[in-house]
Amino acid sequence: MCGIVGYVGTRPAVDVLVRGLKRLEYRGYDSTGVAFETPRGILIEKSEGKLERVESLMGANPNADRSNSVCGIGHTRWATHGKPTTTNAHPHRAGSVVLVHNGIIENYREIKSELLKLGYKPESETDSELFGYLVLEEMKAGQSFVNSVRRAFKKIDGACSFVVMDEKHPGVIVGARNGSPLVLAKDPQGGAILASDAQPILEYTKDVYFLENGEVAIISPQGVEIQSLETGARITPAFVTLNWSVDQIDKGGYPHYMLKEIYEQPSALVDTFNSSLDRSRSEPFVLAPHKGVDLLMNAKELTLIACGTSYYSSMIGKYWLENYGEIPVNVDFASEYRYRSSVLREQSVLVGVSQSGETADTLAVLRELKKKNVPTLGLTNVRGSTISREAGGTFFTYAGPEIGVAATKSFTTQLATFLMWAGALREKHKKGSGQKLFEEMIQLPHLLKSYLEGDNGVQKKIRSIATQVQNKKGFFFIGRGPSFPIALEGALKLKEIAYIHAEGYAAGELKHGPIAMIDESMVVVVLAPKDHWREKTISNLEEVKARGATIIGVGDANDSHLKDLSHHFVALPAIENEDLSVFPLAAVVQLLSYELAVLKGTDVDQPRNLAKSVTVE
Ligand code: F6R
């Protein structure tokens, strides 16, 4: 999870590090720190808490060495080993070596006991600090700085990356990757920058190199060098040019990234449709050709593996892929699938669905199945991410950078992709049969835009409802069919950003237990678009209504029955194909949790205990 930046060049290094860490805080924000070279050696400034703590420490203590430094490393932490304290914050020092780390050292107990025997006394409770002593030992044995990092890294088990400086080698930063991502770029003004993802780099250049596992990067004012971790042999890096822009990673006038990202959904859908389809063809659902398309189109079964919100989008994907694409689909949590024996049919294709493309459990399943020669696909929002590079073929969503920890536009663009897959498979069975669905699909961005931004933008209505229910004890979200995963997603969002207890239920399941919880202190959000399941959902609602809960009905504007049963009502836009109601429904549950979180005063973009990219198991 943690975020790493390293910079050496001509710019004020601490400035580059702080700006970079601001872009990486979504990866973890328990504690933060920077280390930079000065004429008197490497100085470390760090603190528990967010980056602003370190910034205010620096503000209170101006230091010319800090402003003049042109080489340094920085870190924002999501605690795994050891509490989020200042001592456990990175960078860590081991003698002359200073380092930051992302990931986990699995064999840290063994390493620690060896180091204790050698007389080292680690200060922190982290596994990270130990790596510094391993590097130091190698240097003591006469190895060069770079070789010491390589040799030390080979002693480590577990997915991680390190970025290391040494006081005896000023102007050199060494990064090593095995598992956790590292991206590198040459600064057009001289020198180079290394980071956990491309966002800190974009304001300097869009030409980046994603390190492969088992690679070491050496950056200095002279530029960059890549070596094999195993042999030290030089590797020529293949740089790629990214199409993300710096504007996309600013708040653009919105109070929170999450809100901006909710409102970006219509344009994210347009970009995803335009980039995923071959727009030179007049037939519907012709997927833009790449390796993944053949794998998808020849599959006899799909197994979608994901976590959290990506799991819920996969559940909806299953409805569409089975309904329109007529292909059997399994959906499972990566963390569950990973540890059970599963049986896949012939020509089954495993799909790792992950907006970040880095989620440890999803990646582990993909790797495991690849080993068993099962064809694999990735569906991710991040180019260069590990899943995108390791899957047999990768589809991208084009949501642009998503900074808010809560997934919003990455969710709806995953839905859009599943819909296109379903349409393409439908067309494969019978040419022309997808035309109607295609026409309905391409209206979605406009429909969603008017829903969010029209004269009666839905946010205002939801804010007023949120104000009236903010003090309720708990929430149930219920729905059937494709609205059921939206109910799960609504409950997840509410817990995640507003810290309010919420549950998502298939409406028909309430009476099998959870209805015992329903009384005047509870809110039930009923997702009942005018679809095939509406009537059944409404009868479940009657059962709840009798128990005194406050009902928020979400359904067709003319659904007077639902309106009568509800204390509060959110109208959905008129939509021809009710299967596609999940798009406006998603916006409703996202905005409801957003408004409740704002009323509670939580940190919407960086909720407690979370990180955007979950690279540990
Ligand atoms: C919730 C959320 C998480 C992620 C989950 C999987 O808003 O963002 O539940 O969906 O951690 O992440 P990815 O999609 O990156 O694999």
Side-chain angles (χ1 to χ4, degrees):
M1 329 263 257
C2 315
I4 292 180
V5 204
Y7 172 78
V8 52
T10 55
R11 304 173 196 262
V14 175
D15 196 36
V16 176
L17 300 178
V18 168
R19 293 164 77 90
L21 290 175
K22 279 197 181 126
R23 306 251 188 244
L24 289 178
E25 261 195 318
Y26 73 89
R27 301 181 68 91
Y29 29 81
D30 295 335
S31 57
T32 329
V34 294
F36 48 93
E37 279 180 10
T38 77
R40 278 167 290 285
I42 297 173
L43 273 190
I44 298 178
E45 294 185 303
K46 61 183 183 177
S47 171
E48 63 180 298
K50 291 190 170 191
L51 180 61
E52 56 209 34
R53 288 260 188 96
V54 178
E55 281 186 289
S56 71
L57 286 176
M58 289 179 184
N61 173 24
N63 175 339
D65 286 343
R66 185 198 297 130
S67 339
N68 294 335
S69 177
V70 289
C71 179
I73 58 180
H75 188 268
T76 178
R77 178 170 186 244
W78 190 85
T80 55
H81 294 60
K83 290 186 220 57
T85 59
T86 300
T87 312
N88 289 336
H90 300 218
H92 291 287
R93 175 187 285 281
S96 61
V97 174
V98 176
L99 65 94
V100 291
H101 166 221
N102 175 22
I104 286 184
I105 301 179
E106 282 170 7
N107 54 340
Y108 87 100
R109 282 176 207 282
E110 295 87 314
I111 292 176
K112 189 165 184 173
S113 76
E114 286 303 312
L115 290 170
L116 291 176
K117 277 186 219 149
L118 290 172
Y120 290 110
K121 294 190 176 60
E123 259 182 37
S124 72
E125 301 160 283
T126 66
D127 51 349
S128 317
E129 184 187 349
L130 306 178
F131 185 72
Y133 300 108
L134 292 180
V135 176
L136 210 55
E137 273 297 292
E138 294 292 343
M139 290 206 290
K140 271 196 199 159
Q143 295 291 334
S144 69
F145 174 36
V146 176
N147 281 349
S148 298
V149 174
R150 281 187 37 237
R151 290 168 70 96
F153 201 73
K154 285 201 256 177
K155 294 183 179 156
I156 298 283
D157 292 337
C160 50
S161 58
F162 285 93
V163 171
V164 192
M165 300 165 78
D166 178 47
E167 269 171 350
K168 298 193 188 103
H169 296 84
V172 180
I173 296 176
V174 182
R177 173 190 173 156
N178 188 23
S180 308
L182 267 187
V183 188
L184 168 144
K186 294 178 197 163
D187 181 347
Q189 282 189 21
I193 179 164
L194 257 174
S196 303
D197 75 33
Q199 295 185 30
I201 299 177
L202 284 176
E203 62 183 286
Y204 309 107
T205 175
K206 288 186 187 172
D207 297 327
V208 299
Y209 175 65
F210 293 93
L211 262 80
E212 298 287 346
N213 286 334
E215 287 185 351
V216 173
I218 302 119
I219 65 171
S220 68
Q222 285 71 47
V224 305
E225 183 183 328
I226 310 293
Q227 292 185 2
S228 150
L229 178 71
E230 196 53 42
T231 64
R234 273 181 95 134
I235 293 169
T236 311
F239 280 81
V240 292
T241 303
L242 296 175
N243 59 3
W244 286 5
S245 73
V246 185
D247 304 350
Q248 287 176 297
I249 48 182
D250 287 330
K251 278 194 200 142
Y254 286 88
H256 298 99
Y257 281 112
M258 182 182 177
L259 190 61
K260 174 180 177 245
E261 289 157 5
I262 290 173
Y263 276 85
E264 279 173 349
Q265 291 179 108
S267 62
L269 289 178
V270 171
D271 291 345
T272 302
F273 293 147
N274 283 343
S275 306
S276 312
L277 295 170
D278 183 347
R279 304 297 275 146
S280 65
R281 302 277 294 273
S282 55
E283 307 96 298
F285 294 118
V286 182
L287 297 174
H290 60 85
K291 220 161 88 195
V293 174
D294 293 339
L295 281 175
L296 174 73
M297 298 309 281
N298 294 321
K300 291 270 178 286
E301 177 188 69
L302 294 173
T303 299
L304 311 180
I305 296 299
C307 305
T309 292
S310 293
Y311 174 75
Y312 301 145
S313 84
S314 303
M315 286 174 74
I316 297 172
K318 175 180 163 79
Y319 282 102
W320 293 337
L321 285 159
E322 293 191 339
N323 184 26
Y324 299 110
E326 294 172 36
I327 184 169
V329 179
N330 311 307
V331 183
D332 209 343
F333 286 121
S335 53
E336 286 297 312
Y337 190 88
R338 192 173 171 180
Y339 296 107
R340 70 182 171 81
S341 24
S342 55
V343 182
L344 293 177
R345 287 183 220 174
E346 284 272 303
Q347 282 179 272
S348 190
V349 172
L350 185 286
V351 190
V353 184
S354 167
Q355 60 78 23
S356 63
E358 301 294 347
T359 300
D361 284 316
T362 312
L363 185 59
V365 174
L366 197 108
R367 284 184 177 148
E368 190 57 36
L369 284 244
K370 232 174 116 175
K371 265 196 236 151
K372 294 182 181 160
N373 293 322
V374 174
T376 56
L377 283 175
L379 173 58
T380 177
N381 193 43
V382 182
R383 276 188 183 269
S385 58
T386 311
I387 287 180
S388 78
R389 286 175 309 131
E390 296 200 11
T394 299
F395 287 81
F396 290 98
T397 49
Y398 294 82
E402 191 176 67
I403 318 280
V405 161
T408 51
K409 58 179 180 167
S410 63
F411 173 68
T412 32
T413 51
Q414 283 172 358
L415 294 181
T417 308
F418 289 131
L419 195 57
M420 287 185 279
W421 290 5
L425 289 165
R426 186 174 184 82
E427 278 289 302
K428 180 185 153 190
H429 298 310
K430 190 162 177 249
K431 284 230 164 313
S433 60
Q435 185 63 36
K436 187 160 176 292
L437 180 66
F438 184 76
E439 282 159 18
E440 290 159 351
M441 181 188 82
I442 54 176
Q443 288 169 26
L444 282 171
H446 176 69
L447 180 132
L448 199 54
K449 194 171 166 65
S450 321
Y451 190 50
L452 288 166
E453 292 176 15
D455 292 344
N456 274 325
V458 68
Q459 186 184 357
K460 215 161 113 203
K461 173 83 191 172
I462 292 175
R463 182 177 303 148
S464 135
I465 298 175
T467 316
Q468 296 170 68
V469 297
Q470 61 176 314
N471 295 320
K472 292 286 179 182
K473 198 171 87 192
F475 282 64
F476 272 93
F477 288 75
I478 60 169
R480 284 174 179 249
S483 304
F484 164 46
I486 299 284
L488 294 169
E489 172 62 1
L492 170 65
K493 283 282 166 293
L494 201 52
K495 285 180 277 211
E496 182 183 17
I497 62 164
Y499 317 147
I500 296 173
H501 183 249
E503 303 224 25
Y505 259 91
E509 281 294 299
L510 268 194
K511 59 178 156 305
H512 297 288
I515 201 162
M517 297 281 298
I518 306 283
D519 61 19
E520 296 75 16
S521 65
M522 304 293 279
V523 177
V524 180
V525 183
V526 186
L527 308 174
K530 199 180 65 192
D531 60 13
H532 174 67
W533 291 274
R534 177 196 157 274
E535 226 165 285
K536 299 282 172 208
T537 308
I538 301 275
S539 44
N540 299 132
L541 165 59
E542 305 260 15
E543 299 154 9
V544 174
K545 173 97 180 172
R547 270 92 189 161
T550 298
I551 312 291
I552 302 177
V554 187
D556 184 78
N558 299 318
D559 191 337
S560 48
H561 188 184
L562 177 60
K563 251 189 224 170
D564 289 348
L565 287 170
S566 306
H567 298 96
H568 307 282
F569 183 73
V570 182
L572 291 171
I575 194 161
E576 204 187 323
N577 179 347
E578 292 292 345
D579 266 2
L580 307 188
S581 299
V582 291
F583 289 91
L585 277 176
V588 170
V589 299
Q590 291 163 353
L591 285 168
L592 182 62
S593 48
Y594 174 78
E595 291 298 342
L596 284 164
V598 170
L599 286 166
K600 294 253 160 191
T602 63
D603 190 341
V604 174
D605 286 331
Q606 295 174 346
R608 67 189 179 203
N609 306 337
L610 290 170
K612 187 141 192 86
S613 165
V614 186
T615 53
V616 294
E617 194 179 332

